[in-house]
Amino acid sequence: MSGGFPVDLILFAMVAAFLVLRLRSVLGRRQGYERPPQERQAAAPPSHGPVEAEPQPGPAPEHARPVVPDSRTPTGQVLERMRQADPAFDPRGFLAGAEGAFRMIVEAFARGDRQTLRDLLAEETYVGFEQAITAREAAGERQRTEIRAIHEMRIESADLRGTVADITVRIVSDQVNVTSGAGGEIVAGAEAVTELNDIWTFQRDLSSGDPAWKLVGTRSA
């Protein structure tokens, strides 16, 4: 921030607005899948403690492999109902947008970028992320996250309740996560590349004029 006329604030706001609008333009291609709401776990910040994996040889794929259920499966049938409710809905387009959202949210959480998180998360989900950031700041800790590759984006389940669509996605990624203490010492994580399996649920009211899907739940597989 600057003193006097906040030119830099205006520029930052314009850049943030551009990123959010671009993400919405992709996630806003209405689509949907998810688990029933009673099965959804309470949203929590991404956990980064799964199983370590050897780095994969060769260059990382430019985009994750999208996996969409067959139309004959129960989940596929829910997707078809969403397509009927909103002809613009496309499961593969949704997965492409979800991949972008995943990158932005994970990196924003590591940076403590509350505004980006507020734009992309449902209110209850944001509260959990914000509390984790506040606790980290109070402890004088800093987190560094590098997403080395996203290998797969798989629609796990879907639910349509009236016009409210939920999509649950399994995200397989390679990451480096290191949390450093006030003195620079590593207090959590490691420099090793770790393969993570995250289950994220996005939600949108298909009748809304707002095309953005919001993150409403996270857990580790």
Side-chain angles (χ1 to χ4, degrees), residues 83-121:
R83 194 189 305 272
Q84 292 172 0
D86 180 1
F89 169 70
D90 171 51
R92 289 182 179 273
F94 168 82
L95 287 176
E99 179 180 347
F102 177 79
R103 292 180 184 275
M104 292 179 68
I105 292 169
V106 168
E107 292 168 1
F109 176 71
R111 293 194 309 270
D113 182 351
R114 291 175 171 83
Q115 187 56 58
T116 295
L117 294 175
R118 188 180 290 278
D119 289 336
L120 301 175
L121 276 54

Side-chain angles (χ1 to χ4, degrees), residues 5 43 59 82 93 102 116 129 143 148 155 200 206 216:
F5 189 72
M82 292 181 181
F102 177 79
T116 295
F129 277 63
Q143 181 170 329
R148 297 291 181 87
I155 294 179
W200 283 23
L206 299 180
V216 296

Side-chain angles (χ1 to χ4, degrees), residues 6-120:
V7 176
D8 55 342
L9 177 60
I10 295 174
L11 291 175
F12 286 136
M14 291 173 65
V15 172
F18 170 78
L19 290 175
V20 172
L21 286 173
R22 183 171 181 181
L23 176 63
R24 286 186 174 189
S25 71
V26 181
L27 279 176
R29 296 175 190 165
R30 308 171 187 179
Q31 28 233 316
Y33 262 37
E34 187 242 18
R35 63 186 180 287
Q38 66 269 21
E39 296 178 8
R40 183 183 304 139
Q41 294 191 4
S47 77
H48 299 296
V51 185
E52 279 197 7
E54 292 296 326
Q56 298 297 314
E62 184 175 351
H63 294 290
R65 180 171 70 95
V67 181
V68 177
D70 187 278
S71 60
R72 295 167 294 184
T73 64
T75 300
Q77 292 171 9
V78 176
L79 286 179
E80 181 57 31
R81 287 169 50 208
M82 292 181 181
R83 194 189 305 272
Q84 292 172 0
D86 180 1
F89 169 70
D90 171 51
R92 289 182 179 273
F94 168 82
L95 287 176
E99 179 180 347
F102 177 79
R103 292 180 184 275
M104 292 179 68
I105 292 169
V106 168
E107 292 168 1
F109 176 71
R111 293 194 309 270
D113 182 351
R114 291 175 171 83
Q115 187 56 58
T116 295
L117 294 175
R118 188 180 290 278
D119 289 336
L120 301 175

